Amino acid sequence: MTETSLYQTILLELYAHTPRSALPNWVMDGLVEEGLAHRDDAKGLVLNGPFQTFQIRKREVRSAELQAADAAG
């Protein structure tokens, strides 16, 4: 299973939740450029998955909240 970056996860989410006919070219190009998909003449865009999508750990989010609170005073 390939672990993905935040950018790659965003591309995968857009791919998953957007009808193929409405999918922007930059998303399809990004998936190919990032090595997450390839183009097939018969099938169109094919994902190379499976993928482990990017996850923000709760500890990191909590730390950022505390830093913001400290900065605010």
Side-chain angles (χ1 to χ4, degrees), residues 21-32:
S21 61
L23 195 63
N25 286 332
W26 66 268
V27 173
M28 293 184 285
D29 293 342
L31 288 166
V32 172

Side-chain angles (χ1 to χ4, degrees), residues 14 33 54 57:
L14 287 168
E33 290 169 4
F54 181 86
R57 290 184 218 116

Side-chain angles (χ1 to χ4, degrees), residues 1-3 5 10 12 15 22 32 34 43-45 47 51-52 54-55 58-59 68 73:
M1 187 170 295
T2 303
E3 193 170 319
S5 68
I10 291 168
L12 290 167
Y15 179 82
V32 172
E34 293 291 319
K43 298 178 185 177
L45 192 67
L47 293 181
F51 303 103
Q52 174 64 43
F54 181 86
Q55 299 288 320
K58 288 183 180 180
R59 180 173 18 135

